[in-house]
Each structure stands twice: as structure tokens, then as C-alpha cells.
Amino acid sequence: MFQQVQTRVDAIIGDFTSPQASAPLLMCDRHPAQATAFRVVGSKLPERVITFGELADRSRRIAGLLHEHGVGAGDRVATLMGKDADLPAIILGIWRLGAVYVPLFTAFAAAAVADRLEQAGVRVVITDKEQAVKIPAGRYTVFHVGTPVGPGGSQAVDMREALTRTKPWNGSTPTGPDVALTHMFTSGTTGKPKTVVHPLKYAAGWQSYLEFALGVGDDSVYWNVADPGWAYGLYSGIIAPMCAGIASILVTDKFDPEVTWRLLEELAVTDLAAAPTVYRALRGSPDRPDLPKLRRLSSAGEPLTPDVFAWANEQWGLAIHDHFGQTELGMPAGFAHHPGLESGARPSAMGFSLPGWSLTALSTDSEKPAATGAVGRLAVRVSDSAFFSFTGYGVNRNNPGVRFTADEQYYLTGDLVVLDASGLIHFSSRDDDVILMAGYRIGPFDVESVLGTHPAVQECAVVGAPDAMRGEVIHAFVVPAPGTNGDNALVAELQNWVKKNYAAHAYPRRIDFLDALPKTPSGKVQRAVLRQSLTTGGNGQ
């Protein structure tokens, strides 16, 4: 089986490293025209099927419209819009010209949008009526997918009306594995977002991820709930299925637990991928159909806590396969669904290196391998990872910075982990989130995992708080479950819960109760914000 997997990996890499490789060819034109590319669904709209033939025609017309407005190879074209039926064709149309796609998340405020547009050197923005007001007036060519409104929208070209008068683009597309594909930004959890430019060959790892880690095949009914304004939703929900020629579900509505349950049943979804936050929201929904067609569950974007893992097993008899990735890398680790790689998903673990990747742990104080079972820095062996394409931050992609070891043989993910003898990766924390208490190194994820299993806890996050005696102590921020009082009695109960279920020394000395945790637009907890809110008091002792 290993040889079959390696043969398939080599074939995918060969497709994307060919001098003749291009995004339109690999993601659309090589597939049968009558095959389904996307099933577009809205809660109040009938399902619309888009074939690869229709996708090809629409994207050529969009490329023609962009070309008429001066867009060419290397130009940056951004989208700031909801999950519209035209989004895949817009992205593909950008790539037919050799232009670079800049996805922007609709939850960004106007200042964040303006900053990213400027950083990326965007020339054209495609938006909708809800988002147009965020675009600085007079600075960009703006296309609108509906009626133009607001300061940005008032200057916009009605894209759909203009397309009725536009000739399809039939010019040449730049080819080769290093053609710039997307211009993205890191999440900014610990600082100002950094620029990451992905080449075409970066998408190869995502096709492999779809096939091996997600286990999606021709017989799958596949839905990735993640928003395409972020790398995971864009690549695993849109780009990877296009590469593989497999139909993907695109839901135009914003996420709603009740609607999601209904669509899972009505569409007979077999393969579901979502962040742990989505599974938690589904858990809180009162109406839960049985979903007998559901076969595979996958998770990414944040650590999967044991309580969510246990709930999925109870609800469906299925294990959620957790996967790890970064904007810079793609998805290099996880529990694979592919039958030849199935190892049995386990809670509180990140899985194994996926095909085409080689991950290890380096010592926390040197560039030597960490001892088995010891905390180390998660690193990618560059030379042994065929899907690795990151060369640094910035437009020129030649600024490795602190992400690499001095000899540039390893890429450092910024995560602290423990590798056991089998190669299984256990997440400990981000390397800047480690709590050092009285000589102990405590990973916040471990404490959060235990706290999250208490029935009175809806969500929680843990950081290190300064302490005169111990250096740091554990400070927990807890969102109580509905109907639960966050009082001193609950503080004591949660402290004893952690002592009993994790470790006597690693309980939260201080606990604050919040209505909601601060998060980035992609749903990651902003521990930096929590640290800034720390006081010398707290509810604990």
C-alpha cells in the first residue's frame, strides 16, 4: 500500500511541476465538461449544479472582462464577497490571465480591508453590496456582483451585466510550477499579518490532502464548511476539489447550526470537514437528524478538544480526524481517512506526517532532535517534504526569516509538541504560549482540554499570568454553559476538576468568566488579548 500511495503522490507532484502546468488546466480544463464541479446551495434557494464545462466558459468570460480593464499577468485581484455561485469562476478567471488572487474575509472591518489591499498592491477588487462600503473610494477598479451601493460600490462596474457584453478570453496563460497563484496573509494572532505568496505547486499538497487525509473520492458527497476567505476553506473547499475533479458543496448562506443540520440530511453528505467550533455549535442544536449517510468527519484550524471528539463518537459513532496546517505550508499532518493510511484517530493528538511530508520535533534549546516523549519544536524536514513550497514572507518570497533553522534544513511551525515512538504528534502549545510555573512547562491546550469536558464550561482558554512566587500561574478564561452561574463555587469546582482529571500542580490558580472569548475572524482564540486583560486579582486563589 505504501508504494501505491507514493506512486500517487509522485503523479500529483508531476502534474504540478510540469513546465506546461497551469491553474486553468489542472483545476478545470482537463476534466470532463459534463462532470459536476460545484453544487451551490442556499437555505432559501434551489440547488444549482455547475459543471466543469460551465465553469470553463464563465471563467473565460470573466478573464475577458478583467483583461478589458487592464489586468494582466502578475496583477493582484482581490475578492471581498460572500460565498457567491460565481466565486470559483472569478478565481479561475483571474488565473487564466496569470493574475494573482487575493482572498479577503468578509468579517474584516474597513481598516483591515484597506491595509491588506495596500499591502498586496491590489489593482482590482470584486465585491458585493454588503462589502462595497469597506473599499477605499477612488483607489481601485471595483467590480460588483450586484447593485452598486456605498462609497466603494458607487464606482463599481456591474460585473454580471458587463459579462453579457464581454468576449471570452482565449489568450495564453503563464505556465510552470512557480507561477504566483494566491497572495494571502497569516491570521495575525500574535502580530501584524504577514504576506504569503503561494506558487501553483503549493496547490499540489492540497489535492493530496483531499485524497489522503480527507479521504474524499468520486463517490463522496463532500462539504467543507470553512469560509473561502481563509486558506483552509479556499484550498480544501474550492481549489483541491477542482484539482481532483470532484464535486464540492458551496453553501452561500452564513453558517447556522440548524441550517447545517438540515443540509447535511437533505444533501446526504458523506464527508464533512469543519473547525471544532462548528462541531461545538452543532452539538448545541436541539434538532439533530441521524444522518446515516455520513461516513467521514474531519477537523482543522484549531486543536480538537476531547469533549468534541467524544460527542461525535456518541452522536454518529464516528471519530473526527483532526488535521494540522498553516497558511505557509498547507496541511502536513493529521489522522488520514484513506484506508491505506488509517491509524485510528485519537483525541488530544495531531496525527502523523501525511504523504509528501516529513515532520519531526527539535529540541527547545538546540537544533538537534528532541528526545522521544520530550517537548520539542514541531519542524518540517524541507528536503524530505515533496509538497513544501514556502520560501519566506513578502512579495519576493526570498525572506525566510526566523521560520527556518540556521542551516535552512528545517521549517519551524511555531508549535510545541511531543512525538512518541510511533511518530504520533501530540500538541502541547504554541511556543509563545507555554506557561512556565515553578520550573514546570505547561501547555495550555492540556488544561483547556480538561476544562472543556466539564459540563459547566462552554468554551475556555488558558494563558500564563505573572506570579511573584511561581514566575507564572495558570489563568483560565471561561465562558459558562447557558444557565450556569460563574461564581466562586464554580471556580473551586473547576480547579478541583483539573486537579482530578489532569494534574494537581497544573490547575488554574485564577479563573475569570466571560460572555465570549476574543477571537480572530477565522475563529482562533486571541490569547494575546487575554494576556493584556490580566490583573493581579482574579476570581481564584
Side-chain angles (χ1 to χ4, degrees):
M1 180 59 72
F2 172 80
Q3 187 56 50
Q4 293 177 2
V5 171
Q6 187 60 51
T7 298
R8 180 60 186 145
V9 167
D10 291 343
I12 294 173
I13 292 172
D15 287 341
F16 283 84
T17 56
S18 166
Q20 288 75 43
S22 73
L25 172 65
L26 295 174
M27 300 182 196
C28 181
D29 299 349
R30 65 173 173 170
H31 303 311
Q34 71 276 12
T36 298
F38 292 94
R39 299 172 63 188
V40 182
V41 182
S43 61
K44 299 179 180 179
L45 298 173
E47 178 180 338
R48 174 185 170 188
V49 172
I50 300 175
T51 67
F52 280 102
E54 293 168 336
L55 183 62
D57 292 342
R58 187 69 167 174
S59 63
R60 288 190 179 99
R61 199 167 292 276
I62 290 171
L65 180 60
L66 293 173
H67 177 68
E68 288 177 3
H69 286 77
V71 175
D75 287 335
R76 267 53 177 172
V77 179
T79 62
L80 181 65
M81 56 190 288
K83 292 178 279 187
D84 189 86
D86 259 334
L87 182 59
I90 289 170
I91 297 170
L92 198 60
I94 293 168
W95 290 336
R96 288 193 183 277
L97 297 172
V100 184
Y101 176 50
V102 183
L104 296 176
F105 187 42
T106 55
F108 284 140
V113 170
D115 180 61
R116 284 162 173 78
L117 291 174
E118 183 176 359
Q119 281 195 65
V122 167
R123 179 170 181 173
V124 173
V125 184
I126 302 172
T127 187
D128 57 30
K129 64 180 181 180
E130 292 184 3
Q131 301 295 323
V133 294
K134 299 178 182 179
I135 301 169
R139 298 185 61 178
Y140 307 97
T141 299
V142 179
F143 289 96
H144 209 286
V145 294
T147 304
V149 296
S154 61
Q155 309 162 59
V157 175
D158 187 330
M159 188 188 78
R160 288 182 175 134
E161 190 279 328
L163 287 174
T164 64
R165 300 178 277 103
T166 300
K167 294 182 179 180
W169 166 258
N170 290 310
S172 61
T173 297
T175 62
D178 295 315
V179 170
L181 195 69
T182 57
H183 189 139
M184 304 195 73
F185 299 89
T186 60
S187 63
T189 303
T190 57
K192 188 177 179 64
K194 302 180 183 70
T195 290
V196 181
V197 179
H198 294 149
L200 175 62
K201 62 187 177 185
Y202 173 85
W206 285 95
Q207 181 176 348
S208 177
Y209 170 72
L210 183 84
E211 295 184 16
F212 293 116
L214 295 178
V216 175
D218 293 335
D219 62 342
S220 296
V221 179
Y222 170 60
W223 183 13
N224 189 306
V225 181
D227 193 283
W230 296 95
Y232 190 68
L234 172 64
Y235 279 98
S236 62
I238 293 180
I239 293 176
M242 288 199 301
C243 291
I246 290 173
S248 181
I249 294 171
L250 180 63
V251 176
T252 58
D253 294 1
K254 295 180 179 178
F255 173 74
D256 177 87
E258 284 71 31
V259 172
T260 299
W261 275 109
R262 178 167 61 80
L263 292 178
L264 285 169
E265 182 178 33
E266 291 180 359
L267 299 176
V269 172
T270 62
D271 296 67
L272 177 66
T277 300
V278 169
Y279 290 107
R280 293 189 189 99
L282 293 176
R283 180 177 60 181
S285 180
D287 186 18
R288 305 176 190 171
D290 291 337
L291 307 181
K293 298 291 186 180
L294 201 58
R295 297 201 306 260
R296 287 178 283 267
L297 301 174
S298 299
S299 173
E302 58 180 289
L304 178 68
T305 50
D307 59 309
V308 180
F309 185 90
W311 171 77
N313 259 316
E314 179 182 348
Q315 176 69 35
W316 294 303
L318 298 172
I320 302 177
H321 287 219
D322 200 17
H323 302 142
F324 165 79
Q326 291 183 334
T327 302
E328 296 91 333
L329 294 176
M331 303 297 293
F335 291 102
H337 279 289
H338 188 280
L341 301 170
E342 172 66 59
S343 59
R346 278 151 273 182
S348 302
M350 297 167 67
F352 300 89
S353 298
L354 292 172
W357 293 96
S358 177
L359 276 67
T360 189
L362 300 181
S363 170
T364 57
D365 54 10
S366 74
E367 295 183 358
K368 296 180 179 179
T372 300
V375 173
R377 296 174 294 162
L378 183 62
V380 178
R381 294 187 184 94
V382 174
S383 61
D384 293 334
S385 299
F387 291 125
F388 185 85
S389 64
F390 180 73
T391 58
Y393 298 108
V395 176
N396 61 12
R397 295 184 289 162
N398 287 308
N399 179 26
V402 297
R403 279 296 192 187
F404 291 82
T405 55
D407 59 8
E408 297 190 16
Q409 295 302 302
Y410 294 94
Y411 167 92
L412 302 172
T413 68
D415 295 280
L416 293 178
V417 299
V418 174
L419 263 67
D420 65 23
S422 70
L424 181 62
I425 306 167
H426 300 265
F427 179 76
S428 177
S429 71
R430 293 289 297 171
D431 59 6
D432 55 0
D433 289 335
V434 171
I435 301 166
L436 300 174
M437 188 186 74
Y440 293 103
R441 297 176 67 90
I442 302 170
F445 176 68
D446 295 324
V447 182
E448 291 166 359
S449 294
V450 174
L451 272 176
T453 63
H454 192 284
V457 175
Q458 180 170 304
E459 280 192 298
C460 64
V462 164
V463 299
D467 183 84
M469 181 178 295
R470 302 174 182 86
E472 284 185 310
V473 293
I474 299 171
H475 192 130
F477 294 85
V478 172
V479 178
T484 302
N485 292 323
D487 52 22
N488 289 335
L490 184 57
V491 168
E493 185 176 339
L494 294 178
Q495 288 173 330
N496 288 330
W497 181 267
V498 175
K499 290 178 183 178
K500 180 180 178 180
N501 293 285
Y502 178 48
H505 73 285
Y507 70 93
R509 307 281 173 150
R510 303 168 188 166
I511 298 177
D512 286 338
F513 297 104
L514 303 177
D515 293 331
L517 297 176
K519 296 181 180 180
T520 67
S522 62
K524 295 180 181 178
V525 175
Q526 293 178 304
R527 287 190 175 83
V529 174
L530 294 175
R531 290 192 195 97
Q532 292 170 4
S533 71
L534 293 177
T535 65
T536 56
N539 297 329
Q541 54 185 328

